[in-house]
Amino acid sequence: MTERRLVFGSAAQDYAAHRPDYPAAAVEWALAGAPGRRVLDLAAGTGKLTARLLEQDVVAVEPDVEMLGMLRAAFPQVEARQGTAEEIPLPDTSVDAVLVGQAVHWFDPERAWPEIARVLRPGGVFAGLWNCDDAAVDWVRGLHEALAHGKPVPRGGDAAELEPGDPFGAVERRTFPFTRQTTTEGLIATLRTHSWSLISTDAEREAAFARLRAYLATRPETASGGFAFPLFTLVLRTLRS
């Protein structure tokens, strides 16, 4: 798991270019109730979530040097440090919120939850955000089945969990639907930045994308060129006591 969460640096530029942004409403809800404006973007990647936090006093922490370099280049005004969820390079009770975009599932809970609790002030917010394909839409579900090629289809946002325990309270869950204009090749460019693609062999990866092209060519929603791809942002949030 530790090695797999560090594969994204090899595709940092493509990650910044092709991964979807986070809806403003999702970020606003994630921050609701924070006792102040000092926000940690933890496992910040290339700064997809950081971009929504520029009105806050934001500090970004990211383990991968390539991803961190992209973030620093895009947002030179942001304090950005190398570090992990298990070893956060910040003082005790120094932030009002910890937000994590697309990365909580990579953390070691036994080490990360106490670290997040350590840097949070009492009453602070801890929230994980995931941009997910809306597989409740029939043709999107079919897309996932084409990629999986008979293997179990990932559950996506339904499988996301956030259970930090004490000193955190109950976890709230909310989704924020949105669409993103793309094309078949644009969608494939996004999928090339996913961990399964980055760790696959060239033959496995290109076979999956060949199946995807063939499938999308048969669907009326996507066969004519550009299309609106349905997604949602899942937000799980809790408060530190």
Side-chain angles (χ1 to χ4, degrees):
M1 182 68 78
T2 299
E3 293 179 359
R4 184 164 174 173
R5 73 180 183 180
L6 294 176
V7 301
F8 299 101
S10 63
Q13 188 168 357
D14 290 337
Y15 194 106
H18 299 297
R19 284 291 185 111
D21 298 323
Y22 293 91
V27 178
E28 290 170 5
W29 186 77
L31 287 172
R37 295 175 56 86
R38 179 70 164 164
V39 179
L40 167 59
D41 182 2
L42 183 58
T46 62
K48 284 291 181 179
L49 183 54
T50 310
R52 288 293 192 195
L53 298 171
L54 297 180
E55 293 183 1
Q56 312 295 322
D57 176 15
V58 60
V59 55
V61 169
E62 163 60 33
D64 188 284
V65 64
E66 298 295 332
M67 303 286 273
L68 188 62
M70 292 289 298
L71 187 152
R72 286 171 169 161
F75 307 105
Q77 74 276 34
V78 170
E79 178 185 355
R81 304 185 184 187
Q82 188 171 17
T84 68
E86 295 79 17
E87 295 184 38
I88 301 172
L90 295 177
D92 295 356
T93 61
S94 59
V95 297
D96 300 294
V98 175
L99 267 57
V100 184
Q102 221 73 26
V104 165
H105 51 285
W106 298 120
F107 295 173
D108 175 357
E110 291 186 3
R111 298 174 60 205
W113 303 157
E115 269 292 271
I116 291 168
R118 179 184 65 80
V119 301
L120 265 175
R121 297 182 180 123
V125 171
F126 172 30
L129 299 87
W130 290 264
N131 283 333
C132 308
D133 300 351
D134 190 352
V137 177
D138 177 67
W139 70 266
V140 177
R141 180 71 178 179
L143 176 156
H144 283 244
E145 291 171 349
L147 285 173
H149 197 47
K151 298 177 182 178
V153 177
R155 290 170 56 202
D158 292 340
E161 295 181 353
L162 188 67
E163 299 178 356
D166 290 338
F168 295 96
V171 175
E172 300 175 87
R173 182 186 187 102
R174 191 162 173 180
T175 58
F176 297 82
F178 68 103
T179 60
R180 188 182 192 211
Q181 288 298 132
T182 191
T183 62
T184 294
E185 293 309 312
L187 179 58
I188 289 174
T190 300
L191 292 170
R192 288 187 186 278
T193 71
H194 287 208
S195 62
W196 69 264
S197 175
L198 294 171
I199 67 172
S200 296
T201 66
D202 290 345
E204 291 170 338
R205 183 186 311 111
E206 296 312 315
F209 293 147
R211 294 193 301 271
L212 178 61
R213 290 186 182 96
Y215 170 75
L216 293 178
T218 69
R219 295 293 310 200
E221 299 90 347
T222 57
S224 61
F227 53 89
F229 191 77
L231 301 105
F232 62 88
T233 300
L234 169 66
V235 184
L236 302 180
R237 67 186 295 274
T238 181
L239 300 182
R240 187 201 192 286
S241 61

